[in-house]
Amino acid sequence: MQILKVENLYKSFAGSGEVVTDVSFEINEGEVIAVIGPSGSGKSTLLRCLTLLERINHGTIKVAGETMVETTPQGRVVYASEEQLRKIRLRLGMVFQNFNLFPHFSVMRNITEAPIYVRGLSPAEAREEAEKLLAKIGLTDKADAYPYQLSGGQSQRVAIARALAMKPDILFFDEPTSALDPELTGEVLKVIRQLAAERMTMLVVTHEMAFARDVADRVIFMDKGQVVEEGTAEQIFGGPENERTRNFLRNFNANHKLD
Amino acid sequence: MSIFQMPTNAIKLMTLLFNGVLVSLQIFFLTLLFSLPLGLLTALGRMSSHKWISYPIRLYILIMRGTPLLLQLIFFYFAPFYMLPPGFRFSLPRFTAAIIAFSLNYAAYFAEIYRGGIESIPVGQYEAAAVLGFTRTQTFFKIILPQVVKRILPPISNEVITLVKDTALVQILGISELFRVAKNESSRIFSTTPLFAAGMFYLFLNWIVTKVFEKAEKKLSYYR
């Protein structure tokens, strides 16, 4: 089943011009997509458009067959009704670079609050699900801790559990390890790998090339707001066809020789 | 002066001042009751993206913070009578006028404190809440406001302490609060003792206010 379909998406900001230019791609259920590319290539903005944090200037986005936004032949961008968007939003999960945990809630409440007040679970049900998720990310003993007591890696794992508690159809990751100390990235990537093994549909914006190569079914290379090349991990990392992709990967490898 | 006269006078003075304290406390609590929520509404209006909401509110805040509270007290007491055309004129009771002036004045100060607090919350908190599906109202009351309260407690305590002392200003309307009572008694018995005693009352009240805020800050120190 097709989870996400993006067609001819454009996004520009007043002042900084066009940030995403004519991007189209699809994600099917169970697929893991890695989006790679240099800083400022529009990867994060693309993700923010897909999760309704930004409004697009042109294009179509469909989530599980439902239209989130489309553009009329006259060029008018039409978003679905607020009620429809609320439903669509429930299908989308997002993990931020800076975690964005709620500092005044315990780890448990960070995970259970939305299931209780948005999905309508009873507190007991929400707690039960949260305990399973905490076991999955290996933080059962931190249920009553507050975010300030967690390391960056632990915070990001809790943020993943919080997103999973909403049972999204697709989970977006915006550079999930970029704010972490190098020695803490492993524990977060491990959780994402585990989700990939369970066939969770995911789109991961990342600078972790080794991880993208291992985990992604498909890789999208973006540069200057455009999708330059798209293919399987083997195609992109093994023999990229586009000059820009080759340059990016060559520079990247040169800079990360020691890794 | 007989040996029994001193305590009797002291008790008489204390009773007198205590009645004044009760009036001051009424003004204090009623002002907080009205100005704290009104300040929040004002802050939200001030931050509105609609200019026809935010501009009048900016003007209101400018006037309230930019003119003496003493003058505002006089205004709310006399304006309904002198500034309205004949037939529409009315007079507010002194106490009511004082509460209106104080509430509107303090709401303006509180509004700017709330605004500072609200704007200090990282945008990521709103985004995380939005992606999780919280409504705007849920986001504000569950996620944003509790964090704002923690951040604004110190500046709010400043204002509340000032309010205790500002209650003395209502004497301009002839309301017998603590300071006026003390001043009158001071003139009557030709001694500064009542004024000094009144000072001790204000100090005591603000000691309590300080303790209450310390407790509240401690209670919210379970997270950072």
Side-chain angles (χ1 to χ4, degrees):
Chain A
M1 190 176 109
Q2 196 177 65
I3 297 288
L4 186 74
K5 186 177 172 71
V6 180
E7 278 177 322
N8 312 111
L9 192 153
Y10 288 77
K11 172 68 188 173
S12 53
F13 291 106
S16 48
E18 212 161 80
V19 182
V20 176
T21 304
D22 199 15
V23 166
S24 304
F25 66 94
E26 293 167 19
I27 304 179
N28 292 315
E29 195 171 357
E31 268 190 313
V32 179
I33 310 288
V35 181
I36 60 169
S39 300
S41 57
K43 310 182 295 289
S44 289
T45 303
L46 172 64
L47 213 61
R48 294 172 59 81
C49 291
L50 302 179
T51 47
L52 285 160
L53 292 174
E54 301 286 352
R55 296 278 160 136
I56 65 171
N57 298 101
H58 182 91
T60 302
I61 303 174
K62 285 186 179 160
V63 178
E66 291 176 72
T67 303
M68 176 199 287
V69 54
E70 59 190 348
T71 304
T72 63
Q74 291 76 34
R76 209 162 61 85
V77 177
V78 184
Y79 272 87
S81 67
E82 228 6 86
E83 200 191 323
Q84 191 71 13
L85 288 181
R86 267 183 73 74
K87 270 193 239 156
I88 291 173
R89 214 178 252 121
L90 289 180
R91 297 176 175 277
L92 315 170
M94 171 86 153
V95 175
F96 297 87
Q97 189 177 339
N98 296 313
F99 334 131
N100 292 338
L101 292 178
F102 303 130
H104 58 310
F105 289 166
S106 66
V107 164
M108 178 54 79
R109 200 162 163 205
N110 261 284
I111 301 174
T112 57
E113 194 76 355
I116 293 171
Y117 291 97
V118 179
R119 275 177 63 205
L121 294 192
S122 75
E125 289 170 313
R127 231 191 134 77
E128 200 177 312
E129 284 189 9
E131 273 159 8
K132 279 183 206 150
L133 288 167
L134 281 173
K136 191 172 186 167
I137 59 168
L139 289 175
T140 303
D141 55 327
K142 295 289 183 191
D144 298 319
Y146 282 84
Y148 81 92
Q149 297 164 314
L150 304 177
S151 71
Q154 292 170 334
S155 296
Q156 194 58 298
R157 282 143 72 196
V158 172
I160 294 172
R162 178 176 72 174
L164 288 173
M166 293 304 286
K167 301 225 183 299
D169 290 343
I170 177 169
L171 196 48
F172 296 94
F173 292 82
D174 187 7
E175 302 192 20
T177 57
S178 294
L180 300 178
D181 292 335
E183 73 271 20
L184 299 178
T185 58
E187 59 188 82
V188 172
L189 296 180
K190 196 179 134 202
V191 171
I192 304 176
R193 273 176 217 271
Q194 195 185 332
L195 293 174
E198 293 167 13
R199 308 313 298 163
M200 176 81 206
T201 312
M202 294 187 282
L203 188 151
V204 188
V205 170
T206 185
H207 291 293
E208 300 278 343
M209 294 306 149
F211 169 77
R213 182 175 200 154
D214 287 359
V215 173
D217 299 307
R218 269 188 300 140
V219 177
I220 293 173
F221 173 68
M222 278 183 78
D223 190 20
K224 299 194 177 93
Q226 290 168 315
V227 172
V228 175
E229 196 166 350
E230 181 187 341
T232 63
E234 298 87 71
Q235 284 168 346
I236 299 290
F237 290 106
E241 285 172 7
N242 191 288
E243 183 61 35
R244 281 198 274 173
T245 318
R246 275 201 293 274
N247 277 336
F248 172 75
L249 290 173
R250 192 161 54 233
N251 286 335
F252 187 89
N253 288 333
N255 291 333
H256 292 75
K257 271 252 164 62
L258 293 173
D259 285 4
Chain B
M1 199 182 270
S2 95
I3 195 160
F4 298 107
Q5 231 174 333
M6 266 299 286
T8 330
N9 280 346
I11 290 167
K12 212 183 132 203
L13 176 61
M14 283 300 143
T15 316
L16 214 67
L17 292 182
F18 190 72
N19 286 331
V21 167
L22 289 182
V23 176
S24 298
L25 283 177
Q26 283 178 42
I27 295 161
F28 174 78
F29 282 114
L30 285 171
T31 301
L32 285 185
L33 178 71
F34 295 124
S35 62
L36 283 170
L38 185 62
L40 183 56
L41 283 178
T42 308
L44 295 177
R46 167 76 177 75
M47 290 185 294
S48 167
S49 50
H50 299 289
K51 282 193 175 135
W52 42 273
I53 296 179
S54 70
Y55 275 49
I57 285 184
R58 288 167 83 146
L59 182 65
Y60 154 69
I61 293 173
L62 179 66
I63 293 171
M64 285 297 157
R65 297 199 306 170
T67 59
L69 177 51
L70 204 56
L71 187 60
Q72 293 165 19
L73 282 164
I74 295 168
F75 177 85
F76 283 103
Y77 184 52
F78 289 108
F81 191 82
Y82 288 104
M83 290 179 68
L84 292 175
F88 293 93
R89 290 178 173 173
F90 67 97
S91 294
L92 288 170
R94 294 154 200 276
F95 191 79
T96 310
I99 296 301
I100 292 174
F102 263 73
S103 299
L104 291 177
N105 179 277
Y106 272 81
Y109 283 96
F110 286 143
E112 287 296 271
I113 295 176
Y114 283 125
R115 183 169 70 91
I118 291 169
E119 287 179 351
S120 76
I121 303 297
V123 67
Q125 293 287 303
Y126 291 92
E127 293 183 346
V131 174
L132 286 169
F134 287 115
T135 62
R136 284 173 58 134
T137 317
Q138 283 174 328
T139 302
F140 185 71
F141 286 103
K142 280 180 181 301
I143 311 296
I144 306 302
L145 195 57
Q147 297 184 57
V148 168
V149 169
K150 181 185 166 88
R151 290 180 190 211
I152 66 175
L153 273 182
I156 290 278
S157 80
N158 259 343
E159 288 304 318
V160 175
I161 285 170
T162 304
L163 174 60
V164 169
K165 296 172 289 177
D166 272 359
T167 55
L169 294 174
V170 302
Q171 62 180 293
I172 193 83
L173 300 184
I175 297 171
S176 293
E177 46 60 60
L178 177 58
F179 200 92
R180 184 179 152 100
V181 169
K183 207 176 61 181
N184 289 347
E185 187 62 6
S186 185
S187 316
R188 198 181 65 82
I189 64 172
F190 207 65
S191 155
T192 53
T193 308
L195 287 174
F196 186 77
M200 298 309 282
F201 269 108
Y202 285 115
L203 188 61
F204 175 70
L205 292 178
N206 271 332
W207 175 75
I208 295 175
V209 169
T210 306
K211 283 287 155 200
V212 167
F213 273 95
E214 273 174 15
K215 263 236 155 68
E217 277 184 46
K218 206 166 166 195
K219 207 170 165 206
L220 290 178
S221 67
Y222 68 89
Y223 74 92
R224 275 178 226 156

